[in-house]
Amino acid sequence: MSAAPPGPEGTPPGAPQVQTLACPHCGAPLTVRSMGRAVTIVCDRCHSILDAKDPQLRILQRFEAATGDEVPSIPLGSRGKWRGAVYEAIGFQARSMEVDGITYSWREYLLFSPYKGFRYLTEYNGHWNDCSVITALPEVHANAAGVMTARYLGKTYKHFQTCTATTTFVLGEFPWRVTVDDATEVTDYVAPPYVLSSETAGSETTWTLGEYVNGADIWKAFGLAGLAPTPVGIYENQPSQLRVSAGQTWFAFAGLATAIFVIFTVNQLYSQREEVFREAYRFSPSSTEASFVTPVFELKGRTSSVEVKTDADVSNQWIYLDYALIDDDTGQAYDFGREITYYSGADSDGPWQEGSQHDRVVLPSIPPGHYYLRVEPEADATLGIIGYTVTVTRDVPVLGVYFLALAAILLPALLISWRTYNFEQMRWAESDHPMKSIGGDE
């Protein structure tokens, strides 16, 4: 598009060239800002819709049919730098559609730049889109799920909804013929943050491409007072606030899980599983002095895990052992207690058993050195002598650490997937086919 000629002396280059006319209905002055490109003009006093191409400004629609309580959030005449150019708001219209007896309304603001031409902003419940007309024709077809899609510039857009949009209020000037009660068939295809829309009136179809934008950016660009309205709900092409997609999250999870598996495998292969102590004991519950310490044993090599295994000869009874692994050189103690319980029998349902005669506990990160165990057993005083064996093994694999690591990376992946799914559910709930669109093949 060629550049606009310089304005009058003292007028910045690119400033809209305006023309002042008078409304033939009420006599109010009219300002035409789009340099002769206007097709219709709406008087901001009486709201009569006028034919801008008629030298007499023929009235196309009387104000009685055009009145309303709509107040543009971007006042006509507002100027701001948007998309790298200075635009002026020259037209405003409110439109609505009816679905299942419910009327949904949105607003559209026509912007004009003498260098860039026309574009417009749409707003619904605080959600804004920056839109411009495209000249290339998208390819429309049905995907594998039976949902219509449109492909434009290498991107595939899923059909969101088709409706009849009716103009309910207009103000300002437009480069096309517009009247209240105009009705067009509108079809939206989405690929967040973009929306591809077609409008069909009679035999003419116009395609536009919109991009979701923040209301705060519009308020800043046009110097509007107050704050932009807070968006309500999820809009059809609103992008998710999550920085990563569910697919990216699961890809990262697979990579981390593989790394954990490799580390676990290497640990399994190179763990020494060195037995450093084994001793059998007999405990009498009636004994008054049951506590004792074992001989000193050595943990060699690097800092590693230590397994303490207890095998007890219990049957329909229990034994509790209060352990402490103590460093003979420093006195550092690692206290832990273990209970071994085993019961069995038979009833009307057949034989049963619960508990186990074997127990193991793994202490992580025990430094090398000379150690001994302090053992204090307890049991039911009415029971007989209980035999048990204590085995200490160093450098054994700690399986629980790897399961915790997997859980730690799995939880965020599940949370992000749930939030993504919930976000898409809310988005597509407003579409013509919510269940078919989610995850449909393109």
Side-chain angles (χ1 to χ4, degrees):
M1 180 179 294
S2 60
E9 185 177 354
T11 302
Q17 305 299 298
V18 300
Q19 179 183 6
T20 301
L21 304 172
C23 175
H25 184 267
C26 68
L30 303 173
T31 300
V32 182
R33 299 179 174 88
S34 58
M35 302 188 334
R37 304 186 194 185
V39 173
T40 55
I41 306 173
V42 183
C43 175
D44 58 4
R45 177 183 295 179
C46 69
H47 297 281
S48 295
I49 301 176
L50 312 173
D51 184 352
K53 296 301 183 182
D54 188 326
Q56 304 302 317
L57 293 179
R58 179 171 59 93
I59 297 175
L60 300 175
Q61 193 171 40
R62 295 285 185 178
F63 72 95
E64 289 84 4
T67 55
D69 57 2
E70 292 281 357
V71 177
S73 297
I74 306 176
L76 299 190
S78 298
R79 299 183 69 203
K81 190 171 184 178
W82 184 252
R83 302 294 185 176
V86 175
Y87 283 90
E88 182 172 8
I90 65 171
F92 168 77
Q93 67 173 330
R95 306 175 79 186
S96 67
M97 67 176 184
E98 186 172 315
V99 179
D100 296 331
I102 302 175
T103 299
Y104 299 87
S105 300
W106 68 95
R107 287 143 293 280
E108 299 180 356
Y109 299 83
L110 180 64
L111 307 181
F112 175 71
S113 164
Y115 288 135
K116 300 293 185 179
F118 297 99
R119 66 186 319 116
Y120 61 96
L121 300 172
T122 67
E123 182 270 328
Y124 171 75
N125 276 355
H127 299 277
W128 291 82
N129 269 279
D130 173 59
C131 305
S132 56
V133 176
I134 61 175
T135 55
L137 186 64
E139 299 175 7
V140 179
H141 63 276
N143 66 8
V147 178
M148 296 302 297
T149 64
R151 190 163 181 80
Y152 177 69
L153 296 181
K155 182 180 287 292
T156 299
Y157 298 75
K158 294 181 185 177
H159 176 258
F160 189 85
Q161 67 179 3
T162 298
C163 69
T164 299
T166 303
T167 301
T168 58
F169 183 82
V170 289
L171 197 64
E173 59 189 89
F174 298 86
W176 64 85
R177 180 66 62 86
V178 58
T179 58
V180 171
D181 294 330
D182 278 348
T184 59
E185 184 181 82
V186 178
T187 300
D188 288 345
Y189 301 85
V190 299
Y194 302 101
V195 56
L196 192 62
S197 301
S198 70
E199 291 199 22
T200 301
S203 60
E204 183 177 351
T205 298
T206 302
W207 286 87
T208 59
L209 180 65
E211 181 180 4
Y212 191 91
V213 293
N214 292 321
D217 294 336
I218 296 173
W219 254 243
K220 181 179 179 181
F222 287 88
L224 304 178
L227 299 175
T230 301
V232 177
I234 305 299
Y235 194 56
E236 60 182 13
N237 67 318
Q238 180 180 353
S240 172
Q241 295 301 311
L242 295 175
R243 295 183 180 274
V244 295
S245 67
Q248 292 172 319
T249 300
W250 285 108
F251 181 80
F253 170 81
L256 292 173
T258 301
I260 291 173
F261 176 76
V262 170
I263 294 173
F264 168 75
T265 302
V266 171
N267 197 332
Q268 284 281 87
L269 292 175
Y270 289 94
S271 293
Q272 297 183 6
R273 297 178 177 85
E274 179 186 3
E275 184 178 301
V276 295
F277 177 81
R278 175 190 288 266
E279 192 64 61
Y281 300 96
R282 292 175 64 81
F283 170 61
S284 175
S286 60
S287 174
T288 58
E289 192 66 38
S291 179
F292 66 93
V293 296
T294 69
V296 174
F297 50 85
E298 185 179 3
L299 299 179
K300 300 178 181 179
R302 57 183 174 82
T303 296
S304 63
S305 57
V306 172
E307 176 193 76
V308 178
K309 183 179 180 183
T310 309
D311 300 294
D313 185 18
V314 291
S315 180
N316 291 321
Q317 59 187 147
W318 58 272
I319 183 173
Y320 179 82
L321 299 115
D322 189 11
Y323 283 112
L325 178 65
I326 301 173
D327 188 324
D328 190 43
D329 298 320
T330 66
Q332 172 70 45
Y334 303 88
D335 297 290
F336 56 98
R338 308 301 294 175
E339 181 177 359
I340 304 174
T341 304
Y342 180 75
Y343 290 90
S344 62
D347 55 21
S348 59
D349 294 329
W352 60 269
Q353 62 181 17
E354 64 178 33
S356 174
Q357 295 176 320
H358 313 285
D359 176 78
R360 67 185 292 269
V361 61
V362 177
L363 308 178
S365 303
I366 303 299
H370 297 85
Y371 290 83
Y372 62 88
L373 284 172
R374 185 186 69 230
V375 186
E376 186 174 348
E378 298 178 26
D380 190 338
T382 63
L383 301 177
I385 295 175
I386 301 173
Y388 61 95
T389 300
V390 178
T391 306
V392 179
T393 306
R394 67 168 292 273
D395 198 14
V396 296
V398 185
L399 301 182
V401 172
Y402 300 99
F403 288 122
L404 287 175
L406 280 174
I409 62 175
L410 177 61
L411 184 60
L414 292 174
L415 179 60
I416 291 174
S417 296
W418 179 84
R419 289 184 61 186
T420 300
Y421 179 77
N422 187 58
F423 188 90
E424 292 302 315
Q425 281 276 46
M426 295 175 65
R427 178 205 308 285
W428 288 97
E430 299 297 325
S431 75
D432 289 346
H433 34 73
M435 299 310 296
K436 292 176 67 177
S437 294
I438 297 178
D441 295 330
E442 295 181 353

